[in-house]
């Protein structure tokens, strides 16, 4: 029987589903409600008091930061845990969220284990007691849920930190991908410079070049000697939309395919479907596509 109420806020239904499945699987004492943006969340929070809020940062109508600011002004929500789940992990954004009263900060893509640890940390004794009353056992944060099952993710060794586009452009991976003899490469004239993308997963980062991109998905080419994700794994695609300006696009792995029709191919094609509905992200993506089509 659910005894705690949690609100999941994200404009991407795919991400909301991931959060909900993880919470339901590991914390059955929580009753879940969802909202597609900050305005809807604000309306729900005005009518019902929630014990935990798990929220994205970049959303249309009202951002996660704006919702957090409003929430901390309400007497009933001044001490309620708020976990910011976002692809914006740079230092300035973390500091800003802390100033506004965020309880914890979780970067996208996230693993079920990572999300579970954050929930245990912010809910503490209250969650432990609720689980005990319901007859469920609570794992400690130290070994937080070591069960082998994972939700749409695979356990991998941590990858090296993502390189900036300026550094990655000199990587042999990109020169190799540009000269790959695949039919797809022959069909499109080579672009100069190549459009570099870092595709981040829960526990690895794929260095790649953009082969094709639309408002719905991106196809990248990556060297085979890297750690590859599984189908439906969460992904964040980092692309430079303007000089010094990065877009972080949330999505999931839709397809993995060898570039060449042979078993020892050196390159793999990865298709990531986008899930964001934020108008600003779509505008940034449109600008990148226009530049990409024009040849850089």
């Amino acid at each position: 029987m659910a005894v705690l109420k949690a609100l999941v806020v994200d404009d991407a239904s795919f991400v909301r589903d991931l959060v909900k499945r993880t919470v339901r699987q590991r914390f059955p004492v929580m009753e879940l409600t969802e909202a597609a943006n900050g305005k809807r969340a604000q309306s729900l929070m005005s009518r019902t008091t929630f014990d935990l809020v798990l929220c994205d940062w970049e959303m249309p109508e009202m951002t996660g930061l704006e919702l957090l600011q409003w929430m901390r002004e309400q007497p009933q929500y001044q001490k309620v845990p708020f976990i910011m789940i976002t692809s914006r992990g740079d230092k300035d954004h973390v500091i800003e969220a802390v100033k506004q009263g965020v309880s914890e900060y979780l970067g996208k893509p996230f693993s079920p284990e990572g999300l579970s640890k954050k929930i245990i940390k912010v809910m503490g004794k209250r969650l432990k007691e609720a689980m005990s009353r319901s007859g469920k056992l609570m794992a400690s944060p130290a070994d937080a849920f070591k069960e082998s099952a994972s939700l749409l993710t695979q356990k991998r060794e941590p990858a090296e930190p993502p390189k900036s586009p300026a550094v990655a452009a000199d990587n042999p991976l990109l020169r190799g991908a540009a000269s790959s003899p695949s039919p797809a490469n022959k069909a499109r004239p080579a672009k100069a410079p190549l459009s570099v993308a870092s595709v981040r997963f829960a526990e690895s980062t794929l260095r790649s070049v953009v082969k094709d991109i639309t408002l719905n998905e991106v196809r990248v080419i990556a060297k085979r000697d890297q750690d590859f994700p599984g189908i439906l794994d969460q992904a964040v695609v980092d692309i430079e939309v303007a000089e010094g300006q990065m877009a972080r696009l949330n999505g999931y792995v839709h397809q993995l395919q060898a570039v060449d029709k042979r078993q020892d191919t050196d390159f793999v094609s990865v298709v990531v479907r986008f899930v964001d509905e934020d108008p600003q992200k779509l505008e940034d993506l449109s600008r990148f596509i226009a530049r990409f089509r024009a040849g850089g």
Side-chain angles (χ1 to χ4, degrees):
M1 178 179 179
V3 295
L4 298 173
K5 294 183 178 181
L7 177 63
V8 180
V9 191
D10 199 298
D11 62 313
S13 60
F14 177 77
V15 178
R16 293 199 306 271
D17 289 343
L18 287 172
V19 174
K20 289 187 299 180
R21 288 174 189 174
T22 299
V23 175
R24 283 171 179 157
Q25 179 186 26
R26 306 188 177 196
F27 310 110
V29 296
M30 287 192 180
E31 175 187 312
L32 294 167
T33 303
E34 63 181 297
N37 57 62
K39 281 289 186 183
R40 175 59 179 164
Q42 187 182 48
S43 175
L44 290 169
M45 293 168 71
S46 297
R47 300 197 301 267
T48 303
T49 300
F50 293 94
D51 303 293
L52 171 66
V53 178
L54 304 115
C55 184
D56 185 26
W57 185 309
E58 296 172 296
M59 297 180 294
E61 298 191 49
M62 175 184 276
T63 68
L65 188 65
E66 291 170 337
L67 179 64
L68 175 60
Q69 292 169 332
W70 170 84
M71 175 176 164
R72 292 307 185 212
E73 293 172 354
Q74 314 307 310
Q76 72 273 31
Y77 283 117
Q78 288 180 356
K79 295 184 179 180
V80 170
F82 185 107
I83 299 178
M84 189 78 82
I85 306 175
T86 176
S87 55
R88 303 179 73 164
D90 49 284
K91 183 179 178 181
D92 290 343
H93 286 106
V94 175
I95 291 174
E96 182 63 24
V98 170
K99 286 181 178 178
Q100 299 302 327
V102 75
S103 306
E104 274 294 332
Y105 201 99
L106 180 63
K108 292 180 182 177
F110 58 87
S111 66
E113 289 74 18
L115 175 58
S116 299
K117 288 179 182 178
K118 296 292 185 181
I119 293 175
I120 291 172
K121 184 175 180 180
V122 300
M123 295 300 291
K125 185 178 179 180
R126 188 177 183 191
L127 178 58
K128 184 177 181 179
E129 291 176 346
M131 293 285 281
S132 296
R133 288 197 301 270
S134 68
K136 305 293 182 180
L137 296 177
M138 170 71 76
S140 67
D143 60 4
F145 304 105
K146 291 182 179 178
E147 69 270 19
S148 58
S150 62
L151 178 64
L152 301 181
T153 58
Q154 297 174 348
K155 185 67 178 177
R156 290 178 288 270
E157 293 299 318
E160 61 186 88
K163 291 181 172 64
S164 66
V167 175
D170 294 327
N171 195 293
L173 154 70
L174 305 181
R175 293 195 295 272
S179 61
S180 175
S182 70
N185 275 344
K186 291 180 180 178
R188 177 185 294 279
K191 293 178 172 61
L194 291 170
S195 297
V196 181
S198 287
V199 188
R200 290 185 279 128
F201 306 101
E203 297 178 14
S204 66
T205 297
L206 200 65
R207 301 183 307 281
S208 60
V209 293
V210 177
K211 181 64 182 174
D212 198 11
I213 188 167
T214 69
L215 288 174
N216 297 316
E217 65 183 31
V218 61
R219 181 185 297 274
V220 300
I221 305 297
K223 201 168 183 181
R224 184 182 176 184
D225 61 359
Q226 303 181 77
D227 289 328
F228 280 84
I231 297 297
L232 298 183
D233 272 9
Q234 300 172 73
V236 173
V237 181
D238 295 329
I239 55 176
E240 189 173 26
V241 295
E243 187 174 354
Q245 181 182 349
M246 298 294 294
R248 297 172 176 84
L249 305 165
N250 297 293
Y252 65 93
V253 178
H254 175 70
Q255 183 186 80
L256 292 170
Q257 184 177 5
V259 169
D260 303 317
K261 295 181 179 180
R262 50 192 179 85
Q263 189 174 7
D264 60 346
T265 181
D266 291 327
F267 298 97
V268 176
S269 168
V270 182
V271 175
V272 175
R273 286 273 175 91
F274 299 130
V275 297
D276 290 305
E277 298 178 11
D278 187 335
Q280 182 59 56
K281 287 194 176 185
L282 292 176
E283 181 180 337
D284 290 341
L285 182 56
S286 297
R287 284 161 46 207
F288 179 85
I289 292 172
R291 192 180 69 180
F292 179 81
R293 300 295 183 197

